[in-house]
Amino acid sequence: MPFKSNQSISAGKGIKTWRKRDCTSTLWNPSAVNSVYRTSRGQPPYYSATGGTKDTTSRSGWTFHTFTDPGTLVIEGGQSKTSCEALIVGGGGGGGTGGAGAGGMRTTSGFTLAPGTIPITAGEGGGGNANAGGVRGEPSIFNHPTSPITSEGGGGGCGGPAPATTNAAGASGGGGSRDNANSGQPGNVDPTGNPVPAQGNPGGQSSGSGHYGAGGGGGAAQAGGSSTGGPPGGANESGGNGGNGSANSITGSSVHYAGGGGGACEGQQPCTNTNIGGSNGGNGGGGHGAVRGPLNTPNAVLSTVGTDGLGGGGGGCAVGNYFSGNAARAGGSGVVVVAYPTS
């Protein structure tokens, strides 16, 4: 009878176990390869980055990180990535009677992302106030160590009828207030009034007093629209449209950002589509301006907020005689998107 050794059986099992552990835990486990296999051979670890919302599939051959709140892009290991891209959009301003300006929109490309940390700020939208005027949006910042970029917040819509406040100027300017014959406010300025690199457009003017609508807020691609109006009884009153935003495809799809908010109107004739014009928010997340005639008119239109993550300006609302649920609206928050080649 052949002799069978328990030791040989155990040895066979031991060899089988060793091979399974070796293959699954060392040679083919990505994290093990990155931390042990490559570094033990003097090779750099694979490139790894975290922060924001990471997307590796929506844009072929690229990875991008989207920040809609303050955060940090953390880059570990690997050689530096070159030919990188970023989109920076500031927070939209809040509506007054005039539509609010959109947050600034800037892009950059061709820079390098090396291992390290990059603080990122996505600006909040400003609050709406029909009487005093809307609040300016907050800036968004891509704090790259060698080439930082700031996109300013959008200007608040002018309130009242009242003179414009310092909040009304911004990356894109707020629209002039209803019934006040004031001009739209300038774009491409910081909170102190100093000029900044091009990133927006001025707001639209209010064309007169006596049943004239408010101007629209400026957008990234277009100035805010001017209002119309006049006697009899504001039958021709219309708020200015918000300026259109600009399209960008950093995420793999074409998206419009930074549209201005629409200006308000408040005619004394019934609100219809033929005698009181609407005031649409600009393409790119701008809010719609309020439209109303006599209280509780069926065709009255509520104002809307700027869209978060697009930096749209808030829609304006006329002062006094509000119908239920209407108010000057807040601007949308900004966004920072950072993209780099995957391979």
Side-chain angles (χ1 to χ4, degrees), residues 20-46 48:
K20 181 178 180 180
R21 181 175 66 248
D22 179 58
C23 292
T24 59
S25 298
T26 304
L27 295 180
W28 302 111
N29 184 292
S31 61
V33 169
N34 193 34
S35 62
V36 178
Y37 183 82
R38 293 178 64 85
T39 55
S40 68
R41 288 158 176 76
Q43 298 173 328
Y46 287 125
S48 174

Side-chain angles (χ1 to χ4, degrees), residues 152-198:
E152 299 292 339
C158 295
T165 69
T166 55
N167 276 326
S172 282
S177 61
R178 178 182 178 271
D179 268 0
N180 199 47
N182 62 5
S183 60
Q185 298 303 294
N188 299 314
V189 295
D190 68 13
T192 63
N194 292 319
V196 295

